[in-house]
Amino acid sequence: MDDIKAFNPPNVSDDEHIIRRLGWAVIRQWASLPDKLKAHIAEQAVFIDDKYKTVQLREQIAAFIRKHAGDK
């Protein structure tokens, strides 16, 4: 996963609904994604800089995926 880097997304407040929809689409398809891609997406999510700062982000992302990925 050498290509994972910190990323400060641009201000997309007008397009936030699209980002939410894309994120939920990924979660809905999570079980069908290859393990390597799942790990890559989850790790990249940790390095996205936004207004929500947390020390347990990696664990929170994993818990969110476990909670919602099985929803169909």
Side-chain angles (χ1 to χ4, degrees):
M1 291 192 227
D2 295 334
D3 58 339
I4 293 177
K5 296 178 176 64
F7 176 67
N8 189 354
N11 182 351
V12 292
S13 58
D14 292 342
D15 296 323
E16 211 168 293
H17 67 287
I18 294 171
I19 293 168
R20 274 195 314 274
R21 288 171 184 263
L22 286 169
W24 279 112
V26 170
I27 292 298
R28 294 284 293 175
Q29 299 302 315
W30 195 259
S32 65
L33 297 176
D35 289 341
K36 186 175 179 178
L37 181 57
K38 289 180 196 178
H40 190 82
I41 291 170
E43 190 64 18
Q44 181 63 70
V46 171
F47 287 96
I48 305 260
D49 188 27
D50 68 9
K51 62 184 176 182
Y52 302 106
K53 303 295 182 198
T54 177
V55 294
Q56 298 174 332
L57 186 56
R58 186 174 275 109
E59 293 82 5
Q60 289 174 335
I61 290 170
F64 181 88
I65 291 169
R66 283 192 304 273
K67 180 177 180 181
H68 295 287
D71 293 349
K72 296 286 177 190

